[in-house]
Each structure stands twice: as C-alpha cells, then as structure tokens.
Amino acid sequence: MGKKVSESEVHSEIIVLPGDTNMFGDLYGGRLVEWMDNIGSITAFKHSRMKVVTGSIDNLFFLSPIKLGYIVHLHSFVTFTTKSTMEIEIDVSSENVTTGTTNVTTRAFFTYVALNENGHAAEVPQLTLENDAEKVKFNEGKLRSEHRLQLLKDIKNSLH
C-alpha cells in the first residue's frame, strides 16, 4: 500500500544562535547539513515508520550565507522510493529577521535506507503520486537513483 507525499512532509524553522556560527557570524555549513539530515530523517521515519539510516547526499551547494540571528526554513518531502530506500528533497531558505528578506540557501537530495529489527534493509511504502508535479519529481528521482547506484558501484570497485 502506498503513502502520499503529504503524509510525511515536514516544515521546520530554526534561529541561528552564536554557537552555530563561525568567527565571521555565518552559519557553519556542517551545522546546516546536520539540520537537513535531522529533518530528512524525520520525513523518512514518517514515511517508513521504521529505523532509517542516511545512505547518501546529492548535490549539496551553499548558494547564500546564513547569518547569526537569521531564521532558517527547512522543508522536506519524499520524491522517490525504491524497495528499501527513500529519496528526500530538502529545500532550505533563510530569512533576515529585521528586513524580512528571504534567500534560497540550498536544495539537496538525501537518501535513507529503512532497516528492520535485525539491521537489514526493509521494504518501504511506495509513493502514491497525486499530481503532475509529484510525478515529475518521481521521474527525476528515478534518474538520480540510477546515477547513485552507478556511482556506488564505481566507488566499491575502486576500493578493491
């Protein structure tokens, strides 16, 4: 039985505090990745209702700095599923609290693997696509998944 994209979609907001920034008052990139992985995991948990682990992160580019005191807006949702994996799109923007100006910060695709109680890959609900936009994202996700699998194969081969 499938699940709708909206059933596991998550929105979150976080204010950037001094401990989150470097000496220039910019949010650490690693802290943002941590927040993205957190919201992505929540989405994957809600979709699968199982333990999940992060398998990969695709196309993570930092497009604009996030300053101390800004509000970080995170939005995550499932775009594609295989038998045991979920691709989660995570969109991030930042808001200057004094001016209200918002900037797109990044968009990345995190892949999570669902695990059963023995730590082995487990089957996840497939997506029930409700509109053309979701179908387009699903088809794009399928292409990214095929590319990821090839990269994974290449990396494994290069390590032997």
Side-chain angles (χ1 to χ4, degrees):
M1 184 169 192
K3 271 190 151 172
K4 299 176 186 177
V5 172
S6 60
E7 291 181 77
S8 56
E9 183 175 21
V10 178
H11 293 269
S12 181
E13 296 179 336
I14 302 169
I15 193 156
V16 179
L17 300 173
D20 301 321
T21 65
N22 61 26
M23 62 191 230
F24 305 109
D26 295 323
L27 177 66
Y28 283 117
R31 179 82 75 209
L32 180 58
V33 174
E34 176 187 353
W35 293 345
M36 294 172 75
D37 195 21
N38 189 346
I39 194 172
S41 294
I42 293 168
T43 299
F45 289 138
K46 290 174 74 171
H47 183 80
S48 68
R49 294 297 174 191
M50 288 181 255
K51 179 181 178 181
V52 300
V53 294
T54 309
S56 68
I57 302 172
D58 294 4
N59 303 318
L60 182 61
F61 297 97
F62 299 105
L63 305 175
S64 63
I66 301 175
K67 298 289 190 183
L68 174 65
Y70 279 24
I71 297 170
V72 179
H73 302 272
L74 300 113
H75 176 217
S76 64
F77 52 96
V78 181
T79 54
F80 179 75
T81 55
T82 66
K83 185 174 180 179
S84 61
T85 68
M86 297 153 282
E87 179 190 80
I88 312 293
E89 179 177 324
I90 304 172
D91 298 320
V92 180
S93 63
S94 64
E95 177 183 347
N96 180 320
V97 295
T98 56
T99 66
T101 304
T102 60
N103 289 304
V104 173
T105 301
T106 192
R107 168 180 292 151
F109 299 92
F110 285 54
T111 302
Y112 295 88
V113 181
L115 302 176
N116 64 21
E117 57 280 347
N118 298 320
H120 296 112
E123 195 167 335
V124 300
Q126 298 304 293
L127 278 178
T128 300
L129 305 172
E130 298 187 286
N131 57 54
D132 289 340
E134 290 177 357
K135 290 174 187 173
V136 168
K137 286 194 177 286
F138 184 87
N139 290 330
E140 292 170 348
K142 182 177 181 183
L143 293 173
R144 281 188 299 272
S145 177
E146 291 167 357
H147 182 70
R148 273 191 297 273
L149 288 174
Q150 184 60 52
L151 285 173
L152 180 59
K153 181 180 174 184
D154 293 346
I155 290 168
K156 285 181 176 180
N157 286 338
S158 73
L159 296 175
H160 295 292

